[in-house]
Amino acid sequence: MDEEPITLSATEFRLLEVLLERKDRLVTRELLLREVWNIDFDSETSVLDTYISYLRRKIHHDGFARSRREGVGFKLVTWTPGK
């Protein structure tokens, strides 16, 4: 596995931090919006999807922030090489 450093913005870092704190568990869109952007209301914003795509491009492994059910949330799953 290549262990090259990556550069993350403060927002990308916070999003990754929240997902890592809850690794292998579904994290709702609402919780991510509240924890990362302080959005505490029902929002139709696409900012979360945008930042998830930024992280997916920077962190290349199959288990990164898989969507469990469309529109519900994201789940950072434990990654095992070769599986």
Coordinates of all heavy atoms in Angstrom, one line a residue:
M1 N 0.8 -1.2 0.0 CA 0.0 0.0 0.0 C 0.9 1.2 0.0 O 1.8 1.3 0.8 CB -0.9 0.0 1.2 CG -1.8 1.2 1.3 SD -2.6 1.7 2.8 CE -3.3 0.2 3.4
D2 N 0.6 2.2 -0.9 CA 1.3 3.4 -0.9 C 0.9 4.3 0.3 O -0.3 4.4 0.6 CB 1.0 4.2 -2.2 CG 1.6 3.5 -3.4 OD1 2.6 2.8 -3.2 OD2 1.0 3.6 -4.5
E3 N 1.8 4.9 1.0 CA 1.5 5.8 2.1 C 2.0 7.2 1.8 O 2.9 7.7 2.5 CB 2.1 5.2 3.4 CG 1.5 3.9 3.8 CD 1.9 3.4 5.1 OE1 2.3 4.3 6.0 OE2 1.8 2.2 5.4
E4 N 1.4 7.8 0.8 CA 1.8 9.1 0.4 C 0.9 10.1 1.2 O -0.3 9.9 1.4 CB 1.5 9.4 -1.1 CG 2.4 8.5 -1.9 CD 2.2 8.8 -3.4 OE1 1.7 9.9 -3.7 OE2 2.4 7.9 -4.2
P5 N 1.5 11.2 1.7 CA 0.7 12.2 2.4 C -0.3 12.8 1.5 O 0.0 13.0 0.3 CB 1.7 13.2 3.0 CG 3.0 12.9 2.2 CD 2.9 11.5 1.6
I6 N -1.4 13.2 2.0 CA -2.4 13.9 1.2 C -2.7 15.2 2.0 O -2.5 15.4 3.2 CB -3.7 13.1 1.0 CG1 -4.4 12.8 2.4 CG2 -3.5 11.9 0.2 CD1 -5.7 12.2 2.2
T7 N -3.1 16.2 1.2 CA -3.5 17.5 1.7 C -5.0 17.6 1.8 O -5.7 17.4 0.8 CB -2.9 18.6 0.8 OG1 -1.5 18.5 0.7 CG2 -3.2 20.0 1.4
L8 N -5.5 18.0 3.0 CA -6.9 18.1 3.2 C -7.2 19.6 3.7 O -6.4 20.1 4.4 CB -7.4 17.2 4.3 CG -7.3 15.7 4.0 CD1 -7.7 14.9 5.2 CD2 -8.0 15.3 2.8
S9 N -8.3 20.1 3.2 CA -8.7 21.4 3.7 C -9.3 21.1 5.1 O -9.5 20.0 5.6 CB -9.9 21.9 2.9 OG -11.1 21.2 3.0
A10 N -9.5 22.2 5.9 CA -10.0 22.1 7.3 C -11.4 21.3 7.3 O -11.6 20.5 8.1 CB -10.1 23.4 7.9
T11 N -12.2 21.6 6.3 CA -13.5 21.0 6.2 C -13.4 19.5 5.8 O -14.1 18.7 6.4 CB -14.4 21.7 5.1 OG1 -14.5 23.1 5.5 CG2 -15.8 21.1 5.1
E12 N -12.5 19.2 4.9 CA -12.3 17.8 4.5 C -11.8 17.0 5.8 O -12.2 15.9 6.0 CB -11.3 17.7 3.4 CG -11.8 18.2 2.1 CD -10.7 18.3 1.0 OE1 -9.5 18.5 1.4 OE2 -11.1 18.3 -0.1
F13 N -10.9 17.6 6.5 CA -10.3 17.0 7.7 C -11.4 16.7 8.7 O -11.5 15.7 9.3 CB -9.2 17.8 8.3 CG -8.5 17.2 9.5 CD1 -7.5 16.3 9.3 CD2 -8.9 17.4 10.8 CE1 -6.9 15.6 10.3 CE2 -8.3 16.8 11.8 CZ -7.3 15.9 11.6
R14 N -12.2 17.7 9.0 CA -13.3 17.6 10.0 C -14.3 16.5 9.5 O -14.7 15.7 10.3 CB -14.0 18.9 10.2 CG -15.2 18.8 11.2 CD -14.7 18.5 12.6 NE -15.8 18.3 13.5 CZ -15.9 17.4 14.4 NH1 -15.0 16.5 14.6 NH2 -17.0 17.3 15.1
L15 N -14.7 16.5 8.3 CA -15.6 15.4 7.7 C -15.0 14.0 7.9 O -15.6 13.1 8.4 CB -15.9 15.7 6.3 CG -16.7 14.7 5.5 CD1 -18.1 14.5 6.2 CD2 -16.9 15.1 4.1
L16 N -13.7 13.9 7.6 CA -13.0 12.6 7.8 C -13.0 12.2 9.2 O -13.2 11.1 9.6 CB -11.6 12.7 7.2 CG -10.8 11.4 7.2 CD1 -11.5 10.2 6.5 CD2 -9.4 11.6 6.6
E17 N -12.7 13.2 10.1 CA -12.6 13.0 11.5 C -14.0 12.4 12.1 O -14.0 11.5 12.8 CB -12.3 14.3 12.2 CG -12.1 14.2 13.7 CD -11.7 15.5 14.3 OE1 -12.3 16.5 14.0 OE2 -10.8 15.5 15.2
V18 N -15.1 13.0 11.7 CA -16.4 12.6 12.1 C -16.7 11.2 11.6 O -17.2 10.3 12.4 CB -17.5 13.6 11.7 CG1 -18.9 13.1 12.0 CG2 -17.3 15.0 12.3
L19 N -16.3 10.9 10.4 CA -16.5 9.5 9.8 C -15.7 8.5 10.6 O -16.1 7.4 10.9 CB -16.3 9.5 8.3 CG -17.3 10.2 7.5 CD1 -16.8 10.4 6.0 CD2 -18.6 9.5 7.5
L20 N -14.4 8.9 10.8 CA -13.5 8.0 11.5 C -14.0 7.7 13.0 O -13.8 6.6 13.5 CB -12.1 8.5 11.5 CG -11.3 8.4 10.2 CD1 -10.0 9.1 10.3 CD2 -11.1 6.9 9.9
E21 N -14.5 8.7 13.6 CA -15.0 8.5 15.0 C -16.2 7.5 15.0 O -16.4 6.9 16.1 CB -15.5 9.9 15.6 CG -14.4 10.8 15.9 CD -14.9 12.2 16.2 OE1 -16.2 12.5 16.0 OE2 -14.1 13.1 16.6
R22 N -16.8 7.3 13.9 CA -18.0 6.4 13.8 C -17.8 5.3 12.8 O -18.7 4.9 12.1 CB -19.2 7.2 13.5 CG -19.6 8.2 14.6 CD -20.5 9.3 14.1 NE -20.9 10.2 15.1 CZ -20.1 11.3 15.5 NH1 -18.9 11.5 15.0 NH2 -20.5 12.1 16.5
K23 N -16.5 4.9 12.6 CA -16.1 3.9 11.6 C -17.0 2.7 11.7 O -17.3 2.2 12.8 CB -14.7 3.6 11.7 CG -14.1 2.8 10.6 CD -12.6 2.8 10.6 CE -12.2 1.5 11.2 NZ -10.7 1.3 11.1
D24 N -17.4 2.2 10.5 CA -18.2 1.0 10.4 C -19.6 1.2 10.8 O -20.4 0.2 11.0 CB -17.6 -0.2 11.1 CG -16.3 -0.7 10.4 OD1 -16.3 -0.7 9.2 OD2 -15.3 -1.0 11.2
R25 N -20.0 2.4 11.1 CA -21.4 2.7 11.4 C -22.0 3.7 10.4 O -21.3 4.6 10.0 CB -21.5 3.3 12.8 CG -21.1 2.3 13.9 CD -21.3 2.8 15.3 NE -20.8 4.2 15.5 CZ -20.2 4.6 16.5 NH1 -20.0 3.8 17.5 NH2 -19.8 5.8 16.7
L26 N -23.3 3.6 10.1 CA -23.9 4.6 9.3 C -24.0 5.9 10.0 O -24.4 6.0 11.1 CB -25.3 4.1 8.9 CG -26.1 5.0 8.0 CD1 -25.4 5.0 6.6 CD2 -27.5 4.6 7.9
V27 N -23.5 7.0 9.3 CA -23.6 8.3 9.9 C -24.6 9.1 9.0 O -24.4 9.2 7.8 CB -22.2 9.0 9.8 CG1 -22.3 10.4 10.5 CG2 -21.1 8.1 10.5
T28 N -25.6 9.6 9.6 CA -26.7 10.3 8.9 C -26.2 11.6 8.3 O -25.2 12.2 8.8 CB -27.9 10.5 9.7 OG1 -27.5 11.5 10.7 CG2 -28.5 9.3 10.3
R29 N -26.8 11.9 7.2 CA -26.5 13.2 6.6 C -26.7 14.4 7.6 O -26.0 15.3 7.6 CB -27.4 13.4 5.3 CG -27.2 12.4 4.2 CD -28.2 12.6 3.1 NE -27.9 13.9 2.4 CZ -26.9 14.0 1.5 NH1 -26.2 13.0 1.2 NH2 -26.7 15.2 0.9
E30 N -27.8 14.3 8.3 CA -28.1 15.3 9.3 C -27.0 15.5 10.3 O -26.6 16.6 10.7 CB -29.4 15.0 10.0 CG -30.7 15.1 9.1 CD -30.9 13.9 8.2 OE1 -30.3 12.8 8.5 OE2 -31.7 14.0 7.3
L31 N -26.5 14.4 10.8 CA -25.4 14.5 11.8 C -24.1 15.1 11.2 O -23.5 15.9 11.8 CB -25.1 13.1 12.4 CG -24.1 13.1 13.5 CD1 -24.5 12.3 14.7 CD2 -22.7 12.7 13.1
L32 N -23.8 14.7 10.0 CA -22.6 15.2 9.3 C -22.8 16.7 9.0 O -21.8 17.5 9.3 CB -22.3 14.5 8.0 CG -21.8 13.0 8.2 CD1 -21.9 12.3 6.9 CD2 -20.4 13.0 8.8
L33 N -23.9 17.1 8.6 CA -24.2 18.5 8.3 C -24.1 19.3 9.6 O -23.5 20.4 9.6 CB -25.5 18.8 7.7 CG -25.6 18.3 6.2 CD1 -27.1 18.3 5.7 CD2 -24.8 19.2 5.3
R34 N -24.6 18.8 10.7 CA -24.5 19.5 12.0 C -23.1 19.5 12.5 O -22.6 20.6 13.0 CB -25.4 18.8 13.0 CG -25.5 19.5 14.3 CD -26.6 18.9 15.3 NE -26.3 17.5 15.5 CZ -27.1 16.5 15.1 NH1 -28.2 16.7 14.4 NH2 -26.9 15.2 15.4
E35 N -22.4 18.4 12.5 CA -21.0 18.3 13.1 C -20.0 19.1 12.3 O -19.0 19.6 12.8 CB -20.6 16.9 13.2 CG -21.4 16.1 14.2 CD -21.1 16.5 15.7 OE1 -19.9 16.7 16.0 OE2 -22.0 16.6 16.5
V36 N -20.1 19.1 11.0 CA -19.1 19.7 10.1 C -19.4 21.1 9.7 O -18.5 22.0 9.7 CB -18.8 18.8 8.8 CG1 -17.8 19.4 7.9 CG2 -18.4 17.4 9.2
W37 N -20.6 21.4 9.4 CA -21.0 22.7 8.9 C -21.9 23.5 9.8 O -22.3 24.6 9.5 CB -21.7 22.6 7.5 CG -20.7 22.2 6.4 CD1 -19.9 23.1 5.7 CD2 -20.5 20.9 5.9 NE1 -19.2 22.4 4.8 CE2 -19.5 21.0 4.9 CE3 -20.9 19.7 6.3 CZ2 -19.0 19.9 4.2 CZ3 -20.4 18.6 5.6 CH2 -19.4 18.7 4.6
N38 N -22.3 23.0 10.9 CA -23.2 23.6 11.9 C -24.5 23.9 11.3 O -25.2 24.9 11.6 CB -22.6 24.9 12.5 CG -21.4 24.6 13.3 OD1 -21.4 23.6 14.1 ND2 -20.3 25.3 13.2
I39 N -25.0 23.1 10.3 CA -26.3 23.2 9.7 C -27.2 22.3 10.6 O -27.1 21.1 10.6 CB -26.3 22.8 8.3 CG1 -25.4 23.7 7.4 CG2 -27.7 22.7 7.7 CD1 -25.2 23.2 6.0
D40 N -28.1 22.9 11.3 CA -29.0 22.2 12.2 C -30.5 22.3 11.8 O -31.3 22.6 12.7 CB -28.8 22.7 13.6 CG -29.2 21.7 14.7 OD1 -29.4 20.6 14.4 OD2 -29.4 22.1 15.9
F41 N -30.7 22.2 10.5 CA -32.1 22.2 10.1 C -32.1 21.3 8.8 O -31.1 21.0 8.2 CB -32.5 23.6 9.8 CG -31.6 24.3 8.8 CD1 -31.8 24.3 7.4 CD2 -30.5 25.1 9.2 CE1 -31.0 24.9 6.5 CE2 -29.7 25.7 8.4 CZ -29.9 25.7 7.0
D42 N -33.3 21.0 8.4 CA -33.5 20.1 7.2 C -33.1 20.9 6.0 O -33.7 22.0 5.7 CB -35.0 19.8 7.1 CG -35.2 18.7 6.0 OD1 -34.2 18.1 5.6 OD2 -36.4 18.6 5.6
S43 N -32.0 20.5 5.4 CA -31.4 21.2 4.3 C -31.3 20.3 3.0 O -31.0 19.2 3.1 CB -30.0 21.7 4.7 OG -29.4 22.3 3.6
E44 N -31.5 20.9 1.9 CA -31.4 20.2 0.6 C -30.0 20.5 0.0 O -29.8 20.3 -1.2 CB -32.5 20.7 -0.3 CG -33.9 20.3 0.1 CD -34.1 18.8 0.2 OE1 -33.6 18.1 -0.7 OE2 -34.7 18.4 1.2
T45 N -29.1 21.0 0.8 CA -27.8 21.4 0.3 C -27.0 20.1 -0.3 O -27.2 19.0 0.3 CB -26.9 22.1 1.4 OG1 -25.7 22.4 0.8 CG2 -26.7 21.2 2.6
S46 N -26.2 20.4 -1.3 CA -25.4 19.3 -1.8 C -23.9 19.4 -1.3 O -23.0 18.7 -1.8 CB -25.4 19.3 -3.4 OG -24.9 20.5 -3.8
V47 N -23.7 20.3 -0.4 CA -22.3 20.5 0.1 C -21.7 19.2 0.6 O -20.5 18.9 0.4 CB -22.2 21.6 1.1 CG1 -22.9 21.2 2.4 CG2 -20.8 22.0 1.4
L48 N -22.4 18.3 1.3 CA -21.9 17.1 1.9 C -21.5 16.2 0.7 O -20.4 15.6 0.8 CB -23.0 16.4 2.7 CG -22.6 15.0 3.3 CD1 -21.3 15.1 4.1 CD2 -23.8 14.5 4.1
D49 N -22.3 16.0 -0.3 CA -22.0 15.1 -1.4 C -20.7 15.6 -2.1 O -19.9 14.8 -2.5 CB -23.1 15.0 -2.4 CG -24.4 14.4 -1.7 OD1 -24.3 13.3 -1.3 OD2 -25.4 15.1 -1.7
T50 N -20.6 16.9 -2.2 CA -19.4 17.5 -2.9 C -18.2 17.2 -2.1 O -17.2 16.7 -2.7 CB -19.6 19.1 -3.0 OG1 -20.8 19.3 -3.8 CG2 -18.4 19.7 -3.6
Y51 N -18.2 17.4 -0.8 CA -17.0 17.1 0.0 C -16.7 15.6 0.1 O -15.5 15.2 0.2 CB -17.1 17.7 1.4 CG -16.6 19.2 1.4 CD1 -17.5 20.2 1.0 CD2 -15.3 19.5 1.6 CE1 -17.0 21.5 0.9 CE2 -14.9 20.8 1.6 CZ -15.7 21.8 1.2 OH -15.2 23.1 1.1
I52 N -17.7 14.8 0.1 CA -17.5 13.3 0.1 C -16.7 13.0 -1.2 O -15.8 12.2 -1.2 CB -18.8 12.5 0.2 CG1 -19.4 12.6 1.6 CG2 -18.6 11.0 -0.2 CD1 -18.6 11.9 2.7
S53 N -17.2 13.6 -2.3 CA -16.5 13.3 -3.6 C -15.0 13.8 -3.6 O -14.1 13.1 -4.1 CB -17.2 13.9 -4.8 OG -17.1 15.3 -4.8
Y54 N -14.8 14.9 -2.9 CA -13.4 15.4 -2.8 C -12.5 14.4 -2.0 O -11.4 14.0 -2.4 CB -13.3 16.7 -2.0 CG -13.9 17.9 -2.7 CD1 -14.3 19.0 -1.9 CD2 -14.2 17.9 -4.1 CE1 -14.8 20.2 -2.5 CE2 -14.8 19.1 -4.6 CZ -15.1 20.2 -3.9 OH -15.6 21.3 -4.5
L55 N -13.1 13.9 -0.9 CA -12.3 12.9 -0.1 C -12.2 11.6 -0.8 O -11.1 11.0 -0.8 CB -13.0 12.7 1.2 CG -12.9 13.8 2.3 CD1 -13.8 13.4 3.5 CD2 -11.5 14.0 2.6
R56 N -13.2 11.1 -1.6 CA -13.0 9.9 -2.3 C -11.9 10.0 -3.4 O -11.2 9.0 -3.6 CB -14.3 9.6 -3.0 CG -15.4 9.0 -2.1 CD -16.6 8.6 -2.9 NE -17.5 7.9 -2.1 CZ -18.9 7.9 -2.2 NH1 -19.4 8.7 -3.1 NH2 -19.6 7.2 -1.4
R57 N -11.8 11.1 -4.0 CA -10.7 11.3 -4.9 C -9.3 11.3 -4.3 O -8.3 10.8 -4.9 CB -10.8 12.6 -5.7 CG -11.8 12.5 -6.9 CD -11.8 13.8 -7.7 NE -13.2 14.3 -7.5 CZ -13.5 15.5 -7.4 NH1 -12.6 16.5 -7.5 NH2 -14.7 15.9 -7.3
K58 N -9.2 11.8 -3.1 CA -7.9 11.9 -2.4 C -7.6 10.6 -1.6 O -6.4 10.3 -1.5 CB -8.0 13.1 -1.4 CG -8.0 14.4 -2.1 CD -8.0 15.5 -1.0 CE -8.0 16.9 -1.8 NZ -7.9 18.0 -0.8
I59 N -8.6 9.9 -1.2 CA -8.4 8.7 -0.4 C -8.9 7.5 -1.2 O -10.1 7.3 -1.4 CB -9.1 8.7 1.0 CG1 -8.6 9.9 1.8 CG2 -8.9 7.4 1.7 CD1 -9.3 10.2 3.0
H60 N -8.0 6.7 -1.8 CA -8.3 5.7 -2.7 C -8.4 4.3 -2.1 O -7.5 3.6 -2.1 CB -7.3 5.7 -3.9 CG -7.1 7.0 -4.5 ND1 -7.9 7.6 -5.3 CD2 -6.0 7.9 -4.3 CE1 -7.5 8.8 -5.7 NE2 -6.3 9.0 -5.1
H61 N -9.6 4.0 -1.5 CA -9.8 2.6 -1.2 C -11.3 2.3 -1.2 O -12.1 3.2 -1.1 CB -9.1 2.2 0.1 CG -9.8 2.6 1.4 ND1 -11.0 2.1 1.8 CD2 -9.4 3.4 2.3 CE1 -11.3 2.6 2.9 NE2 -10.4 3.4 3.3
D62 N -11.7 1.1 -1.5 CA -13.0 0.7 -1.8 C -14.0 1.0 -0.7 O -15.2 1.2 -0.9 CB -13.1 -0.8 -2.1 CG -12.4 -1.1 -3.4 OD1 -12.3 -0.2 -4.3 OD2 -12.0 -2.2 -3.6
G63 N -13.6 1.0 0.6 CA -14.5 1.2 1.7 C -14.8 2.6 2.1 O -15.5 2.9 3.0
F64 N -14.2 3.6 1.3 CA -14.3 5.0 1.8 C -15.7 5.5 1.6 O -16.2 5.6 0.5 CB -13.3 5.9 1.1 CG -13.4 7.3 1.7 CD1 -13.0 7.5 3.0 CD2 -14.1 8.2 1.0 CE1 -13.2 8.8 3.5 CE2 -14.3 9.5 1.6 CZ -13.9 9.7 2.8
A65 N -16.3 5.9 2.7 CA -17.6 6.6 2.7 C -18.6 6.0 1.8 O -19.2 6.7 1.0 CB -17.4 8.1 2.4
R66 N -18.8 4.7 1.8 CA -19.9 4.1 1.0 C -21.2 4.6 1.5 O -21.5 4.7 2.7 CB -19.8 2.6 1.2 CG -19.4 1.9 0.0 CD -19.5 0.4 0.3 NE -18.3 -0.2 -0.1 CZ -17.9 -1.3 0.2 NH1 -18.6 -2.1 1.0 NH2 -16.7 -1.8 -0.2
S67 N -22.1 4.8 0.6 CA -23.4 5.2 0.9 C -24.2 4.0 1.2 O -24.3 3.1 0.4 CB -24.1 6.0 -0.2 OG -25.4 6.4 0.1
R68 N -24.8 3.9 2.4 CA -25.6 2.7 2.7 C -26.9 2.7 2.0 O -27.3 1.7 1.4 CB -25.8 2.7 4.2 CG -26.7 1.6 4.7 CD -26.0 0.9 5.7 NE -25.9 -0.5 5.6 CZ -25.9 -1.2 6.7 NH1 -26.0 -0.6 7.9 NH2 -25.7 -2.5 6.6
R69 N -27.6 3.8 2.1 CA -28.9 3.9 1.4 C -28.9 5.4 0.9 O -28.6 6.3 1.6 CB -30.1 3.7 2.3 CG -30.3 2.3 2.6 CD -31.6 2.0 3.3 NE -31.6 2.7 4.6 CZ -32.7 2.9 5.3 NH1 -33.9 2.6 4.8 NH2 -32.6 3.5 6.5
E70 N -29.2 5.5 -0.4 CA -29.2 6.8 -1.0 C -30.0 7.8 -0.2 O -31.1 7.6 0.1 CB -29.8 6.6 -2.4 CG -29.6 7.9 -3.3 CD -28.1 8.2 -3.6 OE1 -27.3 7.2 -3.8 OE2 -27.8 9.3 -3.7
G71 N -29.3 8.9 0.1 CA -30.0 10.0 0.8 C -30.0 9.9 2.3 O -30.4 10.8 2.9
V72 N -29.6 8.7 2.8 CA -29.6 8.6 4.3 C -28.3 9.0 5.0 O -28.4 9.8 5.9 CB -29.9 7.1 4.7 CG1 -29.9 6.9 6.2 CG2 -31.3 6.7 4.1
G73 N -27.2 8.5 4.5 CA -25.9 8.9 5.1 C -24.8 8.2 4.5 O -24.9 7.6 3.4
F74 N -23.7 8.1 5.2 CA -22.5 7.5 4.7 C -21.8 6.7 5.8 O -22.1 6.9 7.0 CB -21.5 8.6 4.3 CG -21.9 9.4 3.1 CD1 -22.7 10.5 3.3 CD2 -21.7 9.0 1.8 CE1 -23.1 11.3 2.2 CE2 -22.2 9.7 0.8 CZ -22.9 10.8 1.0
K75 N -21.0 5.7 5.4 CA -20.4 4.8 6.3 C -19.0 4.5 5.8 O -18.7 4.2 4.7 CB -21.2 3.5 6.2 CG -20.7 2.4 7.1 CD -21.6 1.2 7.0 CE -21.2 0.0 7.9 NZ -22.1 -1.1 7.7
L76 N -18.0 4.8 6.7 CA -16.6 4.5 6.4 C -16.4 3.1 6.9 O -16.5 2.8 8.1 CB -15.7 5.5 7.2 CG -14.2 5.3 6.9 CD1 -13.9 5.6 5.5 CD2 -13.5 6.3 7.8
V77 N -16.1 2.2 6.0 CA -16.0 0.8 6.4 C -14.5 0.4 6.5 O -13.7 0.9 5.8 CB -16.7 -0.2 5.4 CG1 -18.2 0.1 5.5 CG2 -16.2 -0.1 4.0
T78 N -14.3 -0.6 7.4 CA -12.9 -1.2 7.5 C -12.5 -1.8 6.2 O -13.3 -2.5 5.6 CB -12.9 -2.2 8.6 OG1 -13.4 -1.6 9.8 CG2 -11.5 -2.8 8.8
W79 N -11.4 -1.4 5.8 CA -10.8 -1.9 4.5 C -9.8 -3.0 4.7 O -8.9 -2.8 5.5 CB -10.3 -0.7 3.7 CG -9.7 -1.1 2.4 CD1 -10.4 -1.5 1.3 CD2 -8.4 -1.1 1.9 NE1 -9.6 -1.8 0.2 CE2 -8.3 -1.5 0.6 CE3 -7.2 -0.7 2.6 CZ2 -7.1 -1.6 -0.1 CZ3 -6.0 -0.8 1.9 CH2 -6.0 -1.2 0.5
T80 N -10.0 -4.1 4.0 CA -9.0 -5.2 4.1 C -8.5 -5.4 2.7 O -9.3 -5.7 1.8 CB -9.7 -6.5 4.6 OG1 -10.3 -6.2 5.9 CG2 -8.6 -7.6 4.7
P81 N -7.2 -5.2 2.4 CA -6.7 -5.4 1.1 C -7.0 -6.8 0.5 O -6.9 -7.8 1.3 CB -5.2 -5.2 1.2 CG -5.0 -4.4 2.5 CD -6.2 -4.8 3.4
G82 N -7.3 -6.9 -0.7 CA -7.6 -8.2 -1.4 C -9.0 -8.7 -1.2 O -9.3 -9.8 -1.6
K83 N -9.8 -8.0 -0.4 CA -11.2 -8.5 -0.2 C -12.2 -7.6 -1.0 O -12.0 -6.5 -1.2 CB -11.6 -8.4 1.3 CG -10.9 -9.6 2.0 CD -11.5 -9.7 3.4 CE -11.0 -11.0 4.0 NZ -11.6 -11.2 5.3

